[in-house]
Amino acid sequence: MNTYTRIYAVVQRIPYGKVATYGQVARLANLTGQARLVGYALYRLPSRQADIPWHRVINAKGEISYDAFRHGDDDLQRVLLEAEGVVFAADGKISLPDYQWQPTG
DNA sequence: CCGGTGACCCGAG
DNA sequence: GCTCGGGCCACCG
């Protein structure tokens, strides 16, 4: 059970049409305060773990961070989320109170 | 081992 | 609204 494995496991638990913040994923993975690792893990996302809905992970501001990884697909993540029914505000932000994943168990 | 970097987050000014 | 500084860990050279 590696650090990455925990992160991937949590991301996989994010339900359809919902989103989670890096900090939230880190917390659920028992890696409180290590949100950067989540970003790094997804950045180094292995193709064999392609089942992971990486697009459902956003930052604490409810925005998407493509800054460093966009390799041609500007709003790929946005498109994927919109395909799941997630609505973006005019600012390009997501309403966390409405779409943030709230794990009950 | 050390230094730099990173899909981040929080607090202060 | 923006910039700076600190923090945690993993990868790369």
Side-chain angles (χ1 to χ4, degrees):
Chain A
M1 204 59 169
N2 303 334
T3 302
Y4 278 18
T5 310
R6 291 202 293 260
I7 294 174
Y8 295 144
V10 172
V11 175
Q12 256 180 338
R13 286 194 190 98
I14 304 176
Y16 181 96
K18 290 289 182 178
V19 298
T21 66
Y22 292 94
Q24 183 182 7
V25 173
R27 185 180 299 271
L28 292 170
N30 221 5
L31 299 170
T32 306
Q34 304 173 7
R36 310 192 68 166
L37 276 299
V38 179
Y40 204 94
L42 296 179
Y43 171 65
R44 287 293 172 183
L45 187 65
S47 52
R48 49 190 173 193
Q49 300 283 4
D51 300 329
I52 299 174
W54 58 272
H55 55 277
R56 294 178 193 151
V57 184
I58 59 178
N59 62 23
K61 292 176 294 189
E63 277 186 332
I64 300 177
S65 317
Y66 325 71
D67 299 324
F69 93 107
R70 50 176 154 173
H71 54 89
D73 302 298
D74 295 12
D75 41 11
L76 172 61
Q77 184 168 6
R78 173 168 179 159
V79 170
L80 292 172
L81 287 175
E82 288 181 330
E84 298 187 356
V86 177
V87 179
F88 286 73
D91 302 41
K93 298 181 187 175
I94 297 174
S95 178
L96 287 175
D98 294 336
Y99 293 103
Q100 185 170 30
W101 176 35
Q102 297 167 357
T104 54

